[in-house]
Amino acid sequence: MQRLPDTSLTVALASGGREHFGWGQDRHLAADLFDAINSNTRATGQWGKGKAPKIPPFPRPQTKAKAKKPSKRAATVAQLYQHFSRR
């Protein structure tokens, strides 16, 4: 597991799912560079007031949100004693 390439399916599944397959450090850096160039273009362009174009960010894999489990109430000492003293 330690020497697998960062674009392998095993690393992708550990990162959050199949949509991360092929997304290594180089692809993440390229997407960040793309977004930075677009932000710079939008910020320094000679646009009319309020006429700057809306440039969409580079599409990245999304992780699915895990469903929260209901929290269990803490058991009291009396409940634990009762539970373990049953036969």
Side-chain angles (χ1 to χ4, degrees), residues 2-72:
Q2 292 179 355
R3 295 184 184 222
L4 289 175
D6 57 352
T7 57
S8 69
L9 184 59
T10 304
V11 173
L13 292 174
S15 296
R18 286 180 93 64
E19 60 273 0
H20 291 275
F21 182 61
W23 276 81
Q25 289 180 349
D26 57 339
R27 187 172 257 184
H28 282 286
L29 286 172
D32 290 340
L33 182 63
F34 179 85
D35 290 341
I37 290 170
N38 284 338
S39 295
N40 188 28
T41 302
R42 183 176 158 88
T44 60
Q46 301 267 338
W47 320 110
K49 187 170 185 171
K51 304 267 183 174
K54 181 74 173 172
I55 303 172
F58 195 84
R60 291 176 171 79
Q62 301 294 322
T63 57
K64 297 173 185 168
K66 294 181 181 179
K68 292 183 179 180
K69 295 180 182 178
S71 61
K72 295 181 180 180

Side-chain angles (χ1 to χ4, degrees), residues 59-87:
R60 291 176 171 79
Q62 301 294 322
T63 57
K64 297 173 185 168
K66 294 181 181 179
K68 292 183 179 180
K69 295 180 182 178
S71 61
K72 295 181 180 180
R73 283 186 43 204
T76 63
V77 175
Q79 290 171 339
L80 290 173
Y81 179 76
Q82 185 182 20
H83 178 73
F84 287 112
S85 63
R86 288 189 225 158
R87 291 184 181 209

